[in-house]
Amino acid sequence: MGQTLTEKILDDHLVEGELEPGEEIGIEIDQVLTQDTTGTMVWLQFEALDLDEVQTELAAQYCDHQTYQFDFKNTDDHRFLRSAAGTFGAHFSRPGNGICHQVHKEHFAAPGKTLLGSDSHTPTPGGMGELAIGAGGLDIAVAMGGGPYYVEMPEVTNVRLEGELPEWATAKDVILELLRRLSVKGGVGKVFEYTGPGVENLTVPERTTITNMGTELGATSSIFPTDEQTKDFLKRVGREDEYVELQPDDDAEYAEEITVDLSDLEPLIAKPSMPDNVVPVREVAGESVEQVIVGSCTNGAYEDILPVAKMLEGRETAKHTETIIAPGSKQASEILARQGWTAELMAAGVNFSEATCGACIGIGHVPASDSVSLRTFNRNFEGRSGIEDDSVYLCSPEVAAAAAIKGEIVDPRDLADELGDMDAPGLEMPDEYNGSKADLIAPDEAIDDELIKGPNIGDVPLKDPLDPHLEGGVLLKMTDNITTDHIIPATSDILKYRSNVPKLSEFTLSRVDESFAQRALDADGGFLVAGENYGQGSSREHAALCPMYLGIEGVLAQSFARIHKANLFNFGLVPLTIDEETYEKIEQGDDVEIVDDVGEGVRDGKEEFTVRVNDDWEATARLDASERERKILAAGGKLSYTRQQYDEKSGSGASPADD
Ligand code: MIC
Ligand code: SF4
C-alpha cells in the first residue's frame, strides 16, 4: 500500500512507534521555532534541563507578539531571548522583524523537514511541503535538546482541490469554506493533506494561508505536495537549492476525502466570534465597519497587502473606517516601500503598523465599543481583540479592502460593479524577496554568550509527584470550546507577565470568572469542568502552568484540544474525559473524589476511573494517555520526568532529552 505525503515524512523521521492512527509516535525534529511570549519559558526550561546547546539543524527565536514594548518587562523578555539564542545557538529575529511564521517561511522553511514550534500556527510552512506542528514550550525545549517529539499518529484527510479560484475568491475562502463545513473541532487528530488538480493553481503564499489556518480546524498539521510552484517560491526567496520533490504515492490511502472545487468558491467571511461561523459576504453586506486591519500570520504577506494597495490606488478609505496594515514581515514592508505601494496606501488613508502580531491579541488597535472590526486574521474569539463583547469578522484582504473603501461590509464583486473601474487584483509575488537581513542574527553573529535575566523573569515552577488520592471541589464549570484566550488572555496588560508565573496566575480564567484565581488559591486544590474542545486555540503552556500553580489537580471535560491536552500532561494535571450526561449533572461547587488510587491507576494503565460526586452519585471518567504520558503524570510533569530520565542515564553520557 502506498503512503501519503504525511506518512512519508513521518516515516523518514520516525524514532519510536508505528504509523498507526491513534498510536503514539516519536519523531525527530529538524527545525524549531519559538516566539517572544512562549519563548522565555522554553529557554528557562532548556536551562532547567541543564542543556547547553541546540541540537536540531536549526532553531529560530522570533520577537513578534508584543513588539511595542509598552513595559520594560517585554523589553527584558526580548533581551533575555536574544541572550538565550546567542548562548545556546539559535537564530534571533529582532522585535519588529516580523511574525514568526512569515519570517520562517521567507528564510528557513524547507520541504521534507520537520518543524516544531511553540505557537499553534506553526503548520504554516506546510504550504511548502514541510511537516510543521505546534506544541507547548516544554516539548520545544526537549526537542531542541535533541529529544524526539511525541504525538498521536494523526489520521490523514485528503482535501482534493479541483478547478481554479474565480476572480475575487482567494485562498482565505478555501480555508473558510473548510471551517464552514467542518467546524473548529473538525480537524482534531488529523493532518489535512491537499491533493488534486487544483493544487497547481495555488502559489506558495496562497497555500500557506490555507495551512496556517488549518489550526482553526483543530488539525495537527496541514500540508501540500511540492511542485513547480514550490520551486518558483524557493527561487524568489533565494533558496532554490532546498527544493525537494514530494508527492504522496498514487495508491496512498486516506482516512477520508473532502473535495473542494475552487471554481465554486466566492468571498466568505467568519462572523463574530468563532472562526467557523462562516457565511458568504453578501449575507452580511451593509453592516457598517469602523475598523479594517490587514495583517497577521495568515494574511500579512507581501502578496496579501499588494491587492489592497491595488484596490485603494487613487481612492480613499471611508471617513468613518480606520484602516491599518500590519505587515507579517518587515521584508514585506520594505519591498512594498521600495516599489512605492506604501505611499499609495498612505495617500489612501491607511496607517502602517510595525510588523507584529499586535492587534491579533488585543495589543494596539483595540476596536471601539459596539463597533464592527474586519480583519484578515485567523481568530476572532470573543474578547481577543482587547474589548469584551467585540464584533470581529475574519475575511480575505480583498474583502477587507472593499470594506475600507465602502465603509461597510460589501462583496468586492458588487463593489467592483458599483465602481466600474476596479479590477480584481489577483495574486502577484515580487521577483525577488530581497529585503535586508539586518534584523536577523545568526548563531555565529551572536552578541551574547550568557543569559541576561531582568527582574521580571522568574523560575519555572515544579509540581510534586502525582497525589494518589485526588479530591476537591469543582471550582469552575465551563461551556464548550473554551479557548486558551479564556484561560490566560494575551492582552498587553497580562502578556507582560508570561515570564512570571506567580503573577500571571492571578489572571487565570479571569475572562470566565474574575474571582477564580483567588478561589482556587483559597481552596488549595480542586477541579475544572468543561464541555467539548477544552483549551482550543493557542499553544501557550501557561494555560496549564497557571492552573497548576493555583493547585488545580485535573480537568474533567467532554473533549480536549490536542496541544492543550499535551500541556496538561506536561504540567502534571490529569485530563479526564467525561460523557455528556456527567457533564450536564455535575455542578460548580460540587465535591469530587476520584475513588480509585490515582497514582497506581495512572502507572498501571488504568483507563477508567470512578468519580464520586458529593458522596451521592458516581460516574466514570476516562484517561486516554500513552505509557509515556502516564509516566509524565506520575512524575508531576515533564520537567521532573525528563530530569529523572537524566538522573537514571547520567554516567551513560545520555542527553537529558533522550527519552
Ligand atoms: C495566538 O495566536 O493565540 C498566539 C498568541 O500566537 C499563541 C501563542 C501564545 O499564546 O503566545 C498561539 O497561537 O499559540
Ligand atoms: Fe501572531 Fe495572531 Fe498569528 Fe498568533 S495568530 S502568531 S497572535 S498573528
Side-chain angles (χ1 to χ4, degrees):
M1 190 183 79
Q3 285 185 310
T4 63
L5 175 53
T6 308
E7 286 165 338
K8 285 186 182 183
I9 301 180
L10 287 174
D11 216 2
D12 268 358
H13 291 83
L14 197 66
V15 289
E16 219 175 295
E18 283 179 28
L19 302 182
E20 286 296 321
E23 293 290 306
E24 187 174 81
I25 53 169
I27 54 168
E28 192 190 340
I29 296 299
D30 301 322
Q31 303 189 336
V32 298
L33 75 74
T34 177
Q35 38 91 337
D36 50 353
T37 56
T38 52
T40 52
M41 278 297 144
V42 171
W43 293 112
L44 289 170
Q45 286 160 166
F46 196 81
E47 186 194 23
L49 288 169
D50 277 340
L51 294 162
D52 53 16
E53 206 185 345
V54 166
Q55 300 294 321
T56 45
E57 283 174 21
L58 180 131
Q61 171 63 58
Y62 299 93
C63 292
D64 49 359
H65 281 63
Q66 173 34 317
T67 61
Y68 299 119
Q69 305 175 328
F70 291 137
D71 191 295
F72 80 90
K73 298 179 186 69
N74 304 119
T75 329
D76 274 9
D77 279 356
H78 291 154
R79 187 179 55 186
F80 169 69
L81 295 171
R82 190 195 66 201
S83 74
T87 307
F88 298 124
H91 292 261
F92 182 70
S93 175
R94 293 200 296 212
N97 190 40
I99 304 175
C100 53
H101 311 301
Q102 286 295 332
V103 183
H104 202 82
K105 173 179 94 178
E106 291 168 0
H107 295 278
F108 303 118
K113 302 280 183 193
T114 50
L115 165 70
L116 195 71
S118 61
D119 191 281
S120 65
H121 291 99
T122 299
T124 309
M128 297 169 69
E130 177 156 17
L131 189 67
I133 304 179
L138 191 41
D139 288 326
I140 307 302
V142 170
M144 250 186 337
Y149 172 61
Y150 292 90
V151 63
E152 195 174 287
M153 175 63 197
E155 281 187 350
V156 187
T157 297
N158 179 4
V159 186
R160 200 181 145 74
L161 300 180
E162 287 172 359
E164 209 170 330
L165 286 170
E167 277 191 347
W168 298 109
T170 68
K172 185 62 159 273
D173 302 308
V174 178
I175 191 67
L176 287 177
E177 169 65 10
L178 286 171
L179 277 154
R180 188 186 69 76
R181 289 197 211 171
L182 305 174
S183 92
V184 289
K185 328 192 267 277
V188 177
K190 298 176 186 173
V191 170
F192 285 80
E193 195 170 305
Y194 291 82
T195 69
V199 165
E200 66 178 28
N201 300 324
L202 296 174
T203 60
V204 162
E206 289 170 297
R207 295 176 187 183
T208 53
T209 290
I210 297 171
T211 47
N212 170 285
M213 215 172 153
T215 296
E216 277 44 70
L217 291 163
T220 303
S221 193
S222 303
I223 193 162
F224 276 78
T226 61
D227 55 11
E228 288 305 313
Q229 293 278 13
T230 326
K231 208 185 273 177
D232 175 64
F233 182 78
L234 280 168
K235 190 168 169 213
R236 291 172 199 257
V237 292
R239 298 191 285 120
E240 202 180 0
D241 53 332
E242 293 178 26
Y243 179 73
V244 186
E245 192 179 328
L246 296 167
Q247 295 284 337
D249 288 328
D250 290 341
D251 56 346
E253 270 185 31
Y254 291 90
E256 59 180 340
E257 183 172 308
I258 301 167
T259 303
V260 178
D261 189 341
L262 300 174
S263 342
D264 287 345
L265 292 179
E266 60 172 330
L268 298 172
I269 195 161
K271 297 197 293 180
S273 290
M274 254 320 138
D276 60 5
N277 199 4
V278 175
V279 296
V281 172
R282 280 182 179 148
E283 211 169 278
V284 283
E287 182 83 56
S288 176
V289 175
E290 287 192 28
Q291 184 190 60
V292 167
I293 313 185
V294 177
S296 88
C297 58
T298 313
N299 282 115
Y302 169 93
E303 301 76 21
D304 298 307
I305 302 169
L306 186 59
V308 179
K310 288 181 180 170
M311 286 169 70
L312 283 172
E313 191 178 7
R315 300 194 165 85
E316 283 187 5
T317 56
K319 295 286 185 224
H320 68 280
T321 310
E322 281 181 28
T323 305
I324 299 118
I325 303 261
S329 74
K330 196 169 179 180
Q331 171 156 257
S333 290
E334 190 186 331
I335 301 174
L336 287 161
R338 288 188 197 284
Q339 294 176 339
W341 288 111
T342 307
E344 286 299 338
L345 283 159
M346 285 181 166
V350 170
N351 286 325
F352 263 75
S353 133
E354 60 183 68
T356 181
C357 296
C360 184
I361 39 173
I363 299 175
H365 304 296
V366 175
S369 53
D370 289 326
S371 72
V372 165
S373 173
L374 235 65
R375 300 169 169 210
T376 64
F377 303 175
N378 48 40
R379 290 182 172 151
N380 58 350
F381 302 144
E382 197 185 347
R384 182 173 158 100
S385 67
I387 173 171
E388 299 301 324
D389 301 324
D390 51 8
S391 199
V392 174
Y393 290 71
L394 307 173
C395 61
S396 67
E398 282 79 348
V399 173
I405 296 167
K406 179 101 171 151
E408 59 188 47
I409 299 180
V410 59
D411 186 311
R413 294 171 297 182
D414 298 333
L415 184 68
D417 282 351
E418 188 183 319
L419 298 178
D421 60 351
M422 190 173 71
D423 294 332
L427 189 130
E428 203 184 308
M429 287 181 272
D431 292 340
E432 246 187 297
Y433 291 80
N434 53 4
S436 153
K437 289 197 171 66
D439 288 294
L440 272 181
I441 305 178
D444 60 2
E445 298 167 323
I447 39 180
D448 311 285
D449 56 8
E450 60 182 43
L451 298 179
I452 309 175
K453 293 184 185 172
N456 183 49
I457 297 183
D459 295 324
V460 188
L462 285 177
K463 190 177 180 294
D464 293 331
L466 184 63
D467 196 334
H469 186 74
L470 290 190
E471 190 177 18
V474 173
L475 296 173
L476 196 60
K477 181 174 174 183
M478 295 166 275
T479 55
D480 289 346
N481 293 325
I482 289 293
T483 71
T484 47
D485 281 312
H486 289 102
I487 308 174
I488 282 292
T491 42
S492 60
D493 49 334
I494 302 177
L495 197 71
K496 62 189 177 209
Y497 298 117
R498 282 282 180 100
S499 317
N500 178 347
V501 175
K503 181 70 192 166
L504 187 69
S505 301
E506 292 173 14
F507 300 94
T508 311
L509 284 160
S510 54
R511 215 171 248 166
V512 183
D513 174 353
E514 278 195 355
S515 69
F516 172 76
Q518 194 53 50
R519 288 195 296 107
L521 274 180
D522 295 346
D524 195 22
F527 293 88
L528 296 171
V529 170
E532 301 276 5
N533 203 20
Y534 179 68
Q536 71 155 326
S538 149
S539 68
R540 68 190 72 136
E541 60 192 350
H542 303 79
L545 190 46
C546 292
M548 175 206 101
Y549 183 80
L550 296 175
I552 297 299
E553 320 263 12
V555 184
L556 304 167
Q558 281 178 262
S559 65
F560 295 88
R562 178 186 67 86
I563 306 180
H564 186 61
K565 188 173 175 197
N567 284 336
L568 290 173
F569 283 123
N570 284 352
F571 291 98
L573 273 74
V574 191
L576 291 168
T577 313
I578 50 172
D579 61 18
E580 196 180 345
E581 199 188 327
T582 310
Y583 170 78
E584 293 300 342
K585 203 164 165 196
I586 202 162
E587 293 298 342
Q588 187 162 319
D590 283 354
D591 285 322
V592 167
E593 182 191 358
I594 314 280
V595 180
D596 319 80
D597 181 319
V598 182
E600 208 176 277
V602 164
R603 273 191 305 275
D604 295 350
K606 192 173 166 57
E607 288 180 349
E608 293 191 345
F609 290 81
T610 304
V611 179
R612 184 175 295 143
V613 183
N614 293 336
D615 243 342
D616 177 26
W617 56 278
E618 288 185 354
T620 301
R622 278 189 65 81
L623 177 67
D624 292 312
S626 68
E627 212 183 306
R628 188 190 56 90
E629 287 166 334
R630 288 170 182 274
K631 285 186 191 157
I632 290 176
L633 264 190
K638 186 163 177 167
L639 206 51
S640 311
Y641 168 73
T642 311
R643 286 219 59 112
Q644 265 174 25
Q645 299 282 105
Y646 178 49
D647 291 343
E648 280 164 24
K649 286 179 186 167
S650 62
S652 67
S655 151
D658 282 349
D659 220 38

